[in-house]
Amino acid sequence: MSGELRATLAAIAQGAAAREANDENPFAAMDLVRAARIGAVRLPVARGGRGFSIRQLFATVIDLAEADPAVAHIVRVHYWFVEEELRRAGSAETAWTAEIARGAIFGNAVSELGGAAVGSLKFKTALTPDGAGYRLSGTKYYCTGSLFADWISVFAAKDENTLAAVVVPADRPGITMLDDWDGMGVRNTGSGTTIFDNVEVRAAELLGTVRLDVAGTPSYEYAFLQLYLQAIMAGIMRNVVSDAIGLIKSRERSFSHAPAARPAEDPLLQQVVGQLSALAFAAESTVLAAADALDAVA
């Protein structure tokens, strides 16, 4: 890890506990992510990135989750977008890889409420032709990261059997983002509702379309997205170990029949910390081994 990246993670970690305790959104921390261009680490060096492998990316995600799990969760969909863009672009540079390289963050607006089965990709949000471009209307839920994003990746119905993927600026007129996420898990991830009211979509902002009545090509993207959650948990486990060590070292007094004068020298407490550390190490090692498998596929 570079000194710059290490310093950025330390700065993000500095206020993480207070943000969690006070239910504060990490806008300033996300500005640090942009400034350090942490979202660009997977891009080749020639295109403004660090050329990280998937294993190196997930090692960084674990570090980021140790610093602040909310920040690591916010950029989950961003890294998925980067992965998809790398596959789309191949060896070429696109407008989107250029945006990623400068530090821009990409959010998502995919999930909807309603009777359609989860994962069916049948959406009420519609993309309709409008001159040389399109108009986008609909409501999305569970839009993780979009509250902090520069661009939003949106899935919408182009017709009954065609799914369209578009990318629009987060501040474009007609877009309303609500900070109304109240589900379980990490709270301040910007996973609320996003409303698109007749939003302009330019022709160049259409990423592509997929026919829903034609079998898709197998992809590692879903394994990538799920492994990412395990990386966040591995980072949280590492944070638990750090918290335990910090707590024990902060205590000077022990109890009358303790086996050591100071808690930090107590073998029973050391054993508990050792068990926590072993579990965290096993979780991290498992995530990185799975990341090696994704590298082989990618």
Side-chain angles (χ1 to χ4, degrees):
M1 184 190 300
S2 71
E4 178 194 8
L5 187 53
R6 196 181 304 278
T8 299
L9 292 175
I12 291 171
Q14 194 169 21
R19 288 192 295 269
E20 175 67 19
N22 298 322
D23 197 21
E24 296 175 0
N25 282 316
F27 287 106
M30 287 304 301
D31 287 340
L32 293 173
V33 170
R34 285 185 182 85
R37 299 187 304 110
I38 296 175
V41 295
R42 269 287 280 159
L43 294 183
V45 174
R47 280 189 269 166
R50 296 176 185 260
F52 276 17
S53 65
I54 293 179
R55 179 191 177 94
Q56 289 172 310
L57 169 64
F58 276 98
T60 302
V61 171
I62 292 170
D63 291 337
L64 187 56
E66 180 184 13
D68 188 336
V71 173
H73 208 127
I74 285 166
V75 292
R76 175 179 176 238
V77 176
H78 169 86
Y79 283 123
W80 167 78
F81 180 85
V82 174
E83 205 65 27
E84 289 295 288
E85 193 57 29
L86 285 172
R87 293 170 64 205
R88 275 190 293 266
S91 60
E93 182 172 323
T94 69
W96 306 119
T97 56
E99 282 292 300
I100 294 163
R102 76 171 180 83
I105 300 298
F106 288 73
N108 90 104
V110 176
S111 301
E112 294 185 0
L113 300 181
V118 174
S120 70
L121 300 180
K122 287 280 190 179
F123 296 125
K124 295 177 183 177
T125 299
L127 185 71
T128 55
D130 180 45
Y134 305 90
R135 289 284 166 174
L136 178 69
S137 293
T139 303
K140 297 289 190 175
Y141 302 85
Y142 190 44
C143 302
T144 299
S146 288
L147 189 65
F148 309 92
D150 304 291
W151 296 87
I152 306 175
S153 174
V154 189
F155 284 7
K158 198 164 182 282
D159 58 46
E160 185 178 356
N161 285 311
T162 306
L163 173 69
V166 303
V167 178
V168 292
D171 60 355
R172 181 159 289 172
I175 299 176
T176 302
M177 284 182 278
L178 305 178
D179 189 15
D180 59 354
W181 171 248
D182 63 354
M184 65 180 183
V186 182
R187 289 178 296 179
N188 300 113
T189 57
S191 298
T193 304
T194 304
I195 302 165
F196 300 91
D197 183 10
N198 199 35
V199 175
E200 175 194 7
V201 178
R202 296 164 189 168
E205 293 167 348
L206 175 64
L207 283 178
T209 58
V210 175
R211 292 287 298 179
L212 299 180
D213 53 352
V214 177
T217 304
S219 167
Y220 64 89
E221 64 176 305
Y222 299 111
F224 180 96
L225 282 166
Q226 295 308 314
L227 184 61
Y228 194 103
L229 295 176
Q230 314 313 314
I232 293 173
M233 293 181 205
I236 291 171
M237 291 173 71
R238 215 202 260 167
N239 192 292
V240 168
V241 176
S242 299
D243 278 355
I245 292 172
L247 176 63
I248 291 172
K249 284 186 173 181
S250 71
R251 301 283 178 87
E252 289 298 326
R253 291 183 59 191
S254 192
F255 54 95
S256 59
H257 52 283
R262 296 179 63 252
E265 298 164 356
D266 189 325
L268 298 177
L269 296 178
Q270 290 175 356
Q271 179 185 18
V272 172
V273 173
Q275 289 170 334
L276 292 173
S277 180
L279 290 169
F281 177 82
E284 180 175 349
S285 299
T286 304
V287 168
L288 296 180
D292 285 336
L294 291 185
D295 263 321
V297 172

